[in-house]
Amino acid sequence: MLTALRQWNEPRDRREAWRLVFVYTAISVAVSAAATYVFARANGWNVGPALIPAVSIPFLVAPWMTWTVANYAIRLHDLRNEYERLAVTDPLSGALNRRGLRDFGDKAFSARMRKPLSAIVLDIDRFKSINDNFGHSAGDAVIARAVEVLRLITGSEDCAIGRPGGDELAALIVGRSLEETMILAERLRDALEHTIFFHDDERLKVTASIGVSVADPDDANVEAMLKRADQSLYAAKSAGRNRVRAAA
């Protein structure tokens, strides 16, 4: 109950702020009028004239004070949401960072018996040579563009896209079987291969090796599924790069 009351007193938008203004103004006027009425009757005063300031003052002051406090609460709510978003976001690509990806994965993993959960993990092939030959800013541009392609391919999916670190990207997809995720991963591989990456005046050709896995009923956690996807990724690299491999 206390939590619900606290949330009610912390408006998240202007609609909730106006609701708070109306309620607290009504309460202020009612309390002031009631107290004035009781005090006036107890002292034998004329109630009518006493009620005029008792009603008009809170009616004028309470909305302004409540609106000021409500706006402050809205700004705090927005700042808290922004801090929470930044805490789980990779600043370079705008994708989820390792923490954000894990949070999504933990929730989806707990529901895997109702909806299957699969993973796509990819590495940009020969990424170090991009950094060495064109500079780290070129590597950053490739990562950011690769995330855009990944978002485009998985646009209609219930999924989370993340950058666990370096040139590794991942997508956790809800509701897809291993075979369906393999088809999606192949579309991603083909899209990256045929995307022209630009940096300054340079045209960069990029490919990726991709590993795919699906959560098993016996998996202890989402990390077990991601470990198999990583193993499949290394198998794709060992097989010659620019290809998709799935965990057995």
Side-chain angles (χ1 to χ4, degrees):
M1 183 177 177
L2 290 177
T3 301
L5 183 62
R6 181 180 61 81
Q7 291 176 346
W8 194 87
N9 280 285
E10 295 180 359
R12 294 166 295 181
D13 53 40
R14 289 185 176 273
R15 180 173 173 273
E16 293 183 0
W18 276 114
R19 182 185 63 187
L20 209 62
V21 168
F22 289 137
V23 170
Y24 276 111
T25 298
I27 291 174
S28 298
V29 170
V31 170
S32 178
T36 301
Y37 177 83
V38 171
F39 189 80
R41 290 297 298 270
N43 288 276
W45 297 350
N46 189 344
V47 175
L51 284 176
I52 294 175
V55 171
S56 60
I57 291 175
F59 185 79
L60 294 174
V61 175
W64 172 75
M65 293 183 64
T66 306
W67 182 254
T68 300
V69 174
N71 267 319
Y72 180 69
I74 290 173
R75 287 196 294 271
L76 284 178
H77 179 267
D78 291 343
L79 283 173
R80 185 163 54 242
N81 285 345
E82 181 64 12
Y83 288 146
E84 289 175 355
R85 186 190 68 81
L86 292 174
V88 297
T89 302
D90 171 53
L92 171 63
S93 63
L96 294 175
N97 59 20
R98 184 179 296 274
R99 173 186 168 186
L101 202 62
R102 186 186 65 243
D103 290 346
F104 179 92
D106 288 342
K107 293 177 183 177
F109 183 80
S110 64
R112 70 190 185 283
M113 302 307 293
R114 290 183 285 107
K115 290 184 178 180
L117 175 65
S118 57
I120 294 176
V121 178
L122 70 91
D123 266 359
I124 304 298
D125 292 331
R126 299 182 175 87
F127 184 73
K128 184 176 184 301
S129 67
I130 296 175
N131 284 333
D132 292 343
N133 295 328
F134 301 100
H136 287 277
S137 59
D140 291 346
V142 166
I143 291 294
R145 180 62 177 143
V147 168
E148 292 177 4
V149 174
L150 183 52
R151 282 201 178 103
L152 182 65
I153 295 299
T154 61
S156 61
E157 304 293 330
D158 180 6
C159 72
I161 295 171
R163 182 189 176 209
D167 62 320
E168 182 178 296
L169 304 177
L172 299 179
I173 305 169
V174 176
R176 290 280 184 172
S177 66
L178 181 61
E179 293 75 16
E180 291 170 329
T181 307
M182 281 289 290
I183 294 172
L184 204 62
E186 181 56 35
R187 286 176 53 203
L188 173 62
R189 185 207 61 77
D190 184 70
L192 288 170
E193 183 181 13
H194 291 92
T195 297
I196 302 299
F197 292 76
F198 290 94
H199 177 67
D200 295 336
D201 295 328
E202 299 287 346
R203 292 161 58 96
L204 308 179
K205 190 71 173 176
V206 171
T207 62
S209 300
I210 302 176
V212 175
S213 67
V214 66
D216 287 336
D218 295 332
D219 285 341
N221 50 45
V222 71
E223 296 297 333
M225 177 188 68
L226 289 172
K227 182 178 180 180
R228 290 196 302 276
D230 277 332
Q231 291 170 345
S232 301
L233 167 63
Y234 297 137
K237 285 183 173 293
S238 299
R241 297 186 174 88
N242 189 28
R243 59 200 67 211
V244 178
R245 290 290 183 268

